[in-house]
Amino acid sequence: NIFAYASAMRAWAKNAAQAMKFVDPNSTTADKISIVQVAYDGVWKTRHAGMSVMLQTFNRKTHVPVKFTLSEMRLTDPRVFNAPLMYMTGHEAFELSPQEKAGLKRYLDNGGFLFAEACCGRKGFDLAFRKLIRSVFPANPLQRMSPTSQVFQYPNPVTSVGVTPTLMQDLGEASTQPVLEGIVIDGHCAVVYSRFGMAGGWEMSQSPYARGYNDIGSLKMAQNILMYAVTQ
């Protein structure tokens, strides 16, 4: 009965998040935070239903205008150079083509910003993403961001976040200091990466089997990363 109840409640929350999808009153992107999700060969679109919910909470918290419609592009598309912020996620291992790697390098070298996360904390994506960064930026390895970084300060002072039951088993505690990694290019942080999943939390139905932050922690961390991307 307990398992049935928990499963039903999670399914209800997931359906509620999908029903809460926010839409733009107009198509303009001027003076708004807009996000482009990176498409690649493989399963690149996983827990996407909560993206508009996350953007709405960011707008409500900061009053920064947002565009709810999520664009989806490959890194070979020249339009990515008009994107101030790109988002990349997935569950499984993947590999980009040489042309896609070159597109990513040009985008980041020219001041772009990539926010990436291993959806549900899956090891396959985590290992593949680290391999990608080493291949594209061998001189700029991913490094853990300092707890005093602005990304943990605004708009939410975050020193500890709740975690899923599975991650709690790994860590031995119900909450933890948030972990983000990044790379710096020409003095600016070009990549922020989380090996712990957040997208399920944006749907307000984080899987207990995921290795990730809980719903509240996932939303707070995403809000901070978006603010960091536009203000650093």
Side-chain angles (χ1 to χ4, degrees):
N1 283 9
I2 292 172
F3 284 134
Y5 173 78
S7 297
M9 289 300 294
R10 181 169 173 264
W12 176 88
K14 189 173 182 179
N15 290 336
Q18 292 173 345
M20 287 172 59
K21 184 176 181 180
F22 295 88
V23 296
D24 298 301
N26 53 63
S27 60
T28 181
T29 60
D31 300 320
K32 295 179 181 179
I33 288 185
S34 59
I35 298 177
V36 170
Q37 183 165 359
V38 177
Y40 55 85
D41 290 339
V43 183
W44 54 270
K45 195 171 185 177
T46 51
R47 301 290 299 272
H48 61 281
M51 180 64 75
S52 64
V53 177
M54 182 271 286
L55 287 168
Q56 194 273 341
T57 66
F58 173 78
N59 171 257
R60 187 174 58 192
K61 181 78 176 182
T62 66
H63 304 292
V64 175
V66 300
K67 180 174 176 59
F68 292 113
T69 302
L70 183 68
S71 298
E72 301 163 352
M73 299 179 196
R74 284 187 172 267
L75 290 163
T76 50
D77 191 326
R79 293 177 298 166
V80 300
F81 295 101
N82 296 323
L85 172 61
M86 290 203 300
Y87 168 68
M88 186 174 186
T89 191
H91 281 159
E92 308 302 334
F94 67 93
E95 188 168 349
L96 300 186
S97 69
Q99 294 79 14
E100 289 171 320
K101 290 180 181 179
L104 176 62
K105 188 174 191 311
R106 286 197 302 271
Y107 172 77
L108 296 177
D109 281 340
N110 283 278
F113 186 93
L114 175 65
F115 166 29
E117 56 135 0
C119 189
C120 297
R122 294 286 188 89
K123 290 292 185 181
F125 181 89
D126 179 61
L127 293 174
F129 185 78
R130 293 179 187 281
K131 180 180 177 181
L132 169 66
I133 294 299
R134 285 195 302 269
S135 173
V136 177
F137 296 101
N140 301 83
L142 283 168
Q143 295 184 332
R144 183 166 177 172
M145 301 180 75
S146 169
T148 61
S149 169
Q150 181 185 344
V151 76
F152 299 113
Q153 309 301 323
Y154 188 76
N156 306 292
V158 181
T159 58
S160 179
V161 288
V163 299
T164 60
T166 296
L167 186 55
M168 180 175 64
Q169 287 185 329
D170 292 347
L171 300 176
E173 52 190 3
S175 62
T176 186
Q177 184 181 78
V179 176
L180 292 175
E181 297 170 83
I183 66 170
V184 175
I185 299 174
D186 294 333
H188 83 281
C189 186
V191 176
V192 169
Y193 173 61
S194 174
R195 72 176 189 267
F196 298 137
M198 288 186 272
W202 305 341
E203 293 182 351
M204 300 179 293
S205 58
Q206 183 70 285
S207 170
Y209 304 108
R211 287 177 169 82
Y213 303 127
N214 65 10
D215 296 355
I216 294 174
S218 296
L219 287 169
K220 285 184 175 181
M221 291 301 299
Q223 292 166 8
N224 281 25
I225 292 168
L226 289 188
M227 182 59 74
Y228 184 72
V230 299
T231 59
Q232 60 152 335

